[in-house]
Amino acid sequence: MLRTFDVLISAVGLILGFPVMLILTVVGFFDTGSPFFLQTRVGRYRQPFTLIKFRTMSKDTASVATHLADSSSITAFGRFLRKSKLDELPQLWNVIKGDMSLVGPRPCLFNQVELIDEREARNVFLARPGITGLAQVNHIDMSTPELLAETDSNMLEALDTRAYFAYILKTMLGKGMGDRVKD
């Protein structure tokens, strides 16, 4: 049932959000020369998939977990995208493709071994990764792997239709700040 909601909401979001995404793409092109950011992430069953977002950092930024990236890499437009969470819009395509869900554990990088081990021990990889979830709306990011994996596991155990829509609503209303970057 949640997969049906994922596809329907994402399709509507892509259709209604197309004009906004078009504008963000043009501005992003002028901001960094490359408005989209593609990165291989760990998906369901630990399978790789390509995550797509609007680029918020300069093109030469190292491909590391956000909490390890330097805050000076974030462009002025990127700060706006992150604060508004508009950088996440292209991930609706990942949801439609089946790589992700709207709600689930945020997908990590393959070099985040500690987080992968913690999630593996808690069966978190049995679920599709998500755009938002319990950790995100409670300001828990990838800098605390054990806490994040435990929070992801707790969310997945209790995830039902009501919680699914509650996480989406909280995210849309601005709860949560996303992954922090080092200063």
Side-chain angles (χ1 to χ4, degrees), residues 112-164:
Q112 291 178 279
V113 177
E114 186 179 355
L115 178 56
I116 290 171
D117 291 345
E118 293 289 344
R119 283 179 165 173
E120 186 70 40
R122 292 170 175 80
N123 296 317
V124 171
F125 291 115
L126 296 178
R128 282 183 180 87
I131 294 175
T132 192
L134 179 61
Q136 287 67 44
V137 300
N138 285 295
H139 311 285
I140 300 168
D141 67 13
M142 294 184 182
S143 65
T144 55
E146 186 175 353
L147 175 61
L148 178 56
E150 183 179 331
T151 303
D152 290 340
S153 178
N154 292 340
M155 174 192 62
L156 293 171
E157 286 177 16
L159 189 60
D160 58 14
T161 305
R162 182 178 176 193
Y164 173 91

